[in-house]
């Protein structure tokens, strides 16, 4: 069984950046995986491509929005160290694939992508499933957790019976009131 997902893509001359998968896909088909923070940083820069974004706004978009609801949001990240790490991953054949330009005293900027698009990715089913049914053969698809509950749960059967009885009772009560 496979799953298809629609992901965002920023297409540059020598690389596609897919922020939803935290991945750089190079022209030769090779892939580079980014960390969560590297991906968020590059996504914020690509979202504002062509514009200069000041360091505080870049920091907020990269770190604070991702962890806004965590109780201990007092962690501090080094934006410069992250930029150095990201720049190393953006080198392709000795040239920066996406040049992160530093505008003195103003902030950072990346060039406009050639294209922003959505791509369809196909993922194969993981070997680990939430529910396994030992009775099914290898040729038969295993049933989902919801199917298992519907087929085998006594509590589910009682609740369906009570809902049906309530529906019939409402029908008779409404019929008697209208007369």
């Amino acid at each position: 069984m496979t799953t298809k997902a629609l992901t965002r893509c920023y297409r540059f001359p020598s690389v596609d950046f897919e922020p939803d998968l935290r991945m750089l896909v190079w022209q030769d088909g090779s892939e580079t995986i980014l960390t969560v923070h590297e991906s968020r940083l590059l996504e914020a820069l690509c979202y504002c491509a062509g514009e200069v974004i000041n360091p505080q706004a870049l920091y907020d978009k990269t770190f604070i929005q991702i962890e806004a609801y965590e109780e201990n949001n007092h962690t501090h990240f080094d934006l410069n160290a992250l930029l150095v790490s990201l720049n190393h991953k953006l080198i392709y054949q000795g040239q920066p694939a996406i040049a992160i330009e530093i505008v003195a005293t103003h902030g950072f900027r990346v060039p406009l992508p050639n294209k922003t698009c959505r791509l369809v990715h196909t993922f194969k089913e993981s070997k680990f499933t939430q529910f396994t049914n030992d009775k099914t053969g290898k040729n038969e698809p295993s049933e989902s957790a919801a199917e298992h509950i519907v087929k085998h749960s006594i509590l589910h059967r009682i609740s369906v019976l009570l809902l049906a009885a309530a529906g019939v009772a409402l029908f008779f009560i409404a019929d008697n009131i209208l007369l």
Side-chain angles (χ1 to χ4, degrees), residues 22-68:
R22 297 181 317 163
M23 186 184 316
L24 297 169
V25 180
W26 303 98
Q27 288 176 338
D28 61 4
S30 62
E31 299 171 346
T32 302
I33 302 297
L34 301 174
T35 66
V36 173
H37 295 304
E38 289 170 340
S39 179
R40 290 282 300 177
L41 174 63
L42 189 55
E43 181 180 6
L45 287 166
C46 288
Y47 184 77
C48 301
E51 301 174 12
V52 176
I53 182 169
N54 72 25
Q56 185 60 47
L58 187 59
Y59 183 88
D60 292 346
K61 288 177 185 271
T62 304
F63 301 116
I64 294 177
Q65 289 181 0
I66 198 169
E67 296 156 359

Side-chain angles (χ1 to χ4, degrees), residues 66-174:
I66 198 169
E67 296 156 359
Y69 297 108
E70 289 185 4
E71 289 185 24
N72 294 333
N73 196 11
H74 302 295
T75 55
H76 294 285
F77 297 95
D78 186 3
L79 190 59
N80 292 325
L82 191 59
L83 280 165
V84 168
S85 171
L86 182 59
N87 273 327
H88 285 290
K89 290 184 179 180
L90 290 173
I91 301 287
Y92 181 71
Q93 297 178 348
Q95 297 292 324
I98 303 173
I100 300 175
E101 182 183 351
I102 299 170
V103 180
T105 69
H106 295 292
F108 305 94
R109 172 176 52 201
V110 296
L112 290 168
N114 293 349
K115 183 179 182 182
T116 57
C117 54
R118 296 210 175 248
L119 300 175
V120 176
H121 288 275
T122 303
F123 301 98
K124 292 183 180 176
E125 182 180 353
S126 173
K127 292 181 181 179
F128 301 103
T129 57
Q130 183 179 359
F131 174 78
T132 57
N133 188 357
D134 296 334
K135 295 179 183 176
T136 59
K138 291 189 177 187
N139 294 336
E140 298 176 23
S142 63
E143 64 185 18
S144 69
E147 289 174 324
H148 179 74
I149 290 171
V150 169
K151 290 179 182 176
H152 304 290
S153 174
I154 294 174
L155 185 60
H156 178 265
R157 291 179 183 177
I158 292 171
S159 65
V160 169
L161 184 63
L162 288 174
L163 284 172
V168 170
L170 282 174
F171 177 76
F172 284 119
I173 291 172

